[in-house]
Amino acid sequence: MARMSIAEALRQAIREEMRRDERVFCIGEDIGIEGGFGGAFTVTLGLSDEFGHERILDTPVSETAIAGVAIGAALAGMRPIADVQYGDFLFCMMDQLANQAAKLRYMSGGQVSVPLVMRAPVGATARGAQHAQSLEAFFCHIPGLKVVAPATAYDAKGLLKSAVRDDNPVIVFEHKLLYGSKGPRSERGALSPIGEVPEEEYLVPIGQGIVRREGKDVTIVAKLLMMYRALAAADILAEQGIEAEVIDPRTLVPLDKELILASVRKTGRLVIAEEDNLTGGWAAEIAAIVADEAFIWLDAPIKRVSAPDVPPPFAPLLEREYVPNEEKIVAAVLSLF
Amino acid sequence: MTQADTSLSPGTEAAELPDPERLLHMYRTMVLIRRHEERVNELYLQGKIPSTLHLYIGQEAVATGVCANLRPDDTVLSTHRPHGHALAKGMEPRKLIAELFARATGCCRAKGGSMHVGDVSVGMLPAIAIVGANVPIAAGVALAAKMQKTDRVAVCFFGDGAANEGAWHEGLNVAAIWDLPVIFVCENNLYAASTPVSLAFKIENIADRAAGYGMPGVVVDGNDVLAVYRASRQAIERARRGGGPTLIECKTYRLCGHSRSDPRTYRSREEEAEWQKRDPIPRFRQWLLAEQRFTAEQLDKVDQEVEETIEEAIAIASSSPEPQVAELYTGVFKDLS
């Protein structure tokens, strides 16, 4: 087992997939420039040395073109891994993702497919309102897109490799505080988990969640940064005699619904933690599924711990209030007992 | 447009003209498109075709002149007004008409409809009905052709309205900087829905914008099929040789409304009458006769064959089954049902 950061795991996944399959290429801004950063968070650093600038393709500042070109190339037999510097910029290419990538297969009667990977960093990191949003729910809402959100190095590598091999468009959400980017691209206050990654080839299948901590009293569903905060909350709760089960869905579409339902049937209580805004969010969808399909197993109301319905703020003090933390998750759990 | 209304392709060298077989095929294609559009409009008005229709009447010379230079493995990207492009690229009328009838035998199994017709077996991608969105996708298809080291080209059709979309700008720019084998064909029919080009452009020729991206821009009489053929032939040959993209502006006119029940109150009957005189089909027919390429009997025979083809396609479509309700749920993803 090698130990590495998520940025390193993602880079290794890209390198292996590009070596395995010559159809795979990367397209994005500042991803292969000599003397550049290797993307906003160093994931593609050094890859152009091995693969050249035709396969690590730097674009102008043109997000619509990044998505559109990736879609066109995917339609014509390539396997693009596209990248935006900040997830917020996905809105610039929203037509391409929502109207084109997601729908071309369906509306063509199955004639075409769009094997596109779209990588996007999310999470609030003291950059203000336009480099901070957690956009997962938007994309979960669009039929035709798969959505993954790896929180560990093992999952980052295994899920990205699965995404590259998937015949459908897959949006990969990565969290800025989890990358472990180094040098000038390191993040203040980052969690940067180092994880074990096997030397040998492996995949993490799209559509499988994982129980990160077992418990019998309450289920906490959380992804990306919130998964770590849920684990921290579980430690605090354990000191108070409450055993929380923490579930990391890893894939958001298609959702491993059974894993969550099985846990709720065991614990009878559900808290969902997310960094996205509350209204119409991903946590609301999880709550609705459980209310629909496991209502009789619930001993208490379902609680959501989400960012409030305000844009991400700049001031670190305000941001700490905006992003849910372990104290808020603990409080939500305690309110159920 | 200064040339006499019935003249065609003045100054064309004999060597630049299509061979007789291709000339006859081009005549057949134009008549096929015209009669298709007229007949499906009748069927629409009779309530036999649901939805809306954006007809190509008057613009037949553009699709025909361009596609006469394409191979089956070249790709066409189309718009919300795609029937002419589909037929010119070689789609069977029976597949097209069955789609308009919303039948299971349609080219997109009744999941696309008029605005998304396509048949990848003949190089016609499902049409994209978001104005301008096909431009960066066309660049991507061309990028794939280049990466795969083929001499395939992509042709992207769009109207004057698309040239004011951001996606258009981004797509042309990347096509130019990467020398992609793509031909951008602007069908300037003088109106974006009801908005005249004079309200939407400060410049006389949309093709002038090509200079801003560093690619050739060409203006042609879009109602002169031989002029379109010649201009697109040069651009396509250049693209195949690795010479990069071209923007061709075809000045043309819709001899019909924008879509269903368009009373055309935003333009004068006098203007329409002027353009009626330049109807591309009589112009081409008169040229073929005047040049003694074919006899009237030969052309009448083509007309008759087209009628039979279309009526047969309508008969097949109207007796074809509708899709099963279960089809609603299939084909969103390639691997998941």
Side-chain angles (χ1 to χ4, degrees), chain A residues 55-267:
Chain A
R55 293 182 70 196
I56 304 293
L57 184 57
D58 285 294
T59 71
V61 185
S62 301
E63 284 82 14
T64 297
I66 292 171
V69 166
I71 290 166
L75 287 168
M78 301 299 287
R79 296 257 162 183
I81 304 173
D83 143 317
V84 282
Q85 300 201 329
Y86 292 85
D88 312 67
F89 306 168
L90 293 174
F91 285 135
C92 301
M93 56 171 69
M94 205 61 174
D95 169 68
Q96 290 293 334
L97 298 176
N99 282 324
Q100 316 304 336
K103 293 179 174 58
L104 276 163
R105 177 165 185 84
Y106 190 80
M107 71 191 201
S108 70
Q111 292 184 73
V112 301
S113 56
V114 186
L116 157 73
V117 176
M118 185 78 236
R119 297 182 36 245
V122 294
T125 49
R127 289 175 166 93
Q130 296 177 344
H131 291 64
Q133 296 164 87
S134 291
L135 304 166
E136 299 91 295
F138 282 94
F139 293 88
C140 293
H141 188 67
I142 301 166
L145 301 177
K146 294 187 180 180
V147 182
V148 301
T152 67
Y154 180 90
D155 285 350
K157 182 175 176 186
L159 277 170
L160 181 54
K161 285 168 72 87
S162 289
V164 171
R165 299 180 192 196
D166 200 284
D167 287 332
N168 302 284
V170 183
I171 316 290
V172 182
F173 286 107
E174 303 158 4
H175 200 286
K176 298 178 201 106
L177 295 180
L178 301 182
Y179 277 123
S181 312
K182 292 176 182 145
R185 302 306 298 169
S186 63
E187 287 292 310
R188 188 187 298 267
L191 205 58
S192 302
I194 301 296
E196 293 196 333
V197 173
E199 307 283 350
E200 66 274 14
E201 164 95 2
Y202 74 98
L203 299 171
V204 173
I206 291 175
Q208 285 185 11
I210 190 168
V211 176
R212 295 288 183 196
R213 176 186 175 123
E214 289 191 12
K216 60 179 173 37
D217 300 323
V218 59
T219 300
I220 307 175
V221 176
K223 57 185 155 58
L224 296 170
L225 179 67
M226 287 302 113
M227 191 275 285
Y228 292 95
R229 301 221 163 145
L231 287 173
D235 285 343
I236 297 169
L237 289 163
E239 290 168 11
Q240 302 180 33
I242 296 173
E243 291 302 325
E245 180 147 294
V246 177
I247 290 182
D248 176 359
R250 302 195 290 189
T251 296
L252 311 185
V253 178
L255 181 68
D256 190 351
K257 198 171 68 172
E258 273 311 312
L259 188 71
I260 296 170
L261 292 171
S263 178
V264 170
R265 285 195 289 266
K266 179 173 71 173
T267 65

